[in-house]
């Protein structure tokens, strides 16, 4: 049976986001803001409205990107390293901001490069 990400042709995007964001859910209380939950919602909406481009757009403003994860020296960037590697680099501080990090355009370019 074909999955939604297969139907959209975004298997590589989903795999990369799962790999890089794995572990952030332990720091985020609201389950709807977890990467996996957001991907399911974005994929379901994209199948109905807009396809792959809509899916990528939704992921570029995913709720977990509004959280900042810092090790005291730098912020975690989902486009550059896995959270599990970053989390081993020191004590993690977490807070929420009003805008996503990295910027949506950066995330979109990264995700589109995986297709």
């Amino acid at each position: 049976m074909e999955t939604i990400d297969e139907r959209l042709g975004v298997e590589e995007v989903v795999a990369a986001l799962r790999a890089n964001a794995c572990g952030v859910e332990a720091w985020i209380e609201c389950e709807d803001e977890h990467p996996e939950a957001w991907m399911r919602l974005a994929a379901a909406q994209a199948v109905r409205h807009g396809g792959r481009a809509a899916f990528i757009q939704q992921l570029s403003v995913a709720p977990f990107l509004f959280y900042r994860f810092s090790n005291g020296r730098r912020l975690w960037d989902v486009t550059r390293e896995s959270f599990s590697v970053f989390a081993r680099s020191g004590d993690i501080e977490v807070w929420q901001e009003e805008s996503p990090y990295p910027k949506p355009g950066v995330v979109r370019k990264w995700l589109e490069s995986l297709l």
Side-chain angles (χ1 to χ4, degrees):
M1 181 174 187
E2 185 179 55
T3 64
I4 291 177
D5 54 316
E6 290 170 335
R7 190 173 335 153
L8 290 169
V10 293
E11 300 94 337
E12 296 86 358
V13 167
V14 169
L17 202 52
R18 278 183 179 142
N20 280 14
C22 183
V24 300
E25 61 278 350
W27 298 87
I28 301 172
E29 286 185 35
C30 180
E31 289 182 26
D32 292 342
E33 295 178 346
H34 293 178
E36 194 67 38
W38 188 255
M39 281 193 290
R40 282 192 306 272
L41 176 65
Q45 290 176 350
V47 165
R48 290 190 299 270
H49 312 288
R52 183 173 19 196
F55 181 68
I56 300 282
Q57 174 59 33
Q58 286 288 340
L59 292 182
S60 73
V61 293
F64 79 92
L65 296 173
F66 287 77
Y67 287 82
R68 299 300 190 270
F69 300 89
S70 173
N71 64 4
R73 295 180 305 281
R74 62 187 174 88
L75 295 175
W76 171 64
D77 180 342
V78 69
T79 69
R80 298 192 180 273
E81 73 179 313
S82 72
F83 184 76
S84 60
V85 169
F86 178 78
R88 289 193 298 264
S89 67
D91 291 332
I92 304 298
E93 295 178 44
V94 181
W95 67 95
Q96 247 181 314
E97 293 285 343
E98 293 184 16
S99 61
Y101 179 81
K103 292 183 178 186
V106 171
V107 176
R108 266 193 315 276
K109 283 183 182 181
W110 173 62
L111 295 173
E112 288 168 351
S113 75
L114 300 171
L115 298 174

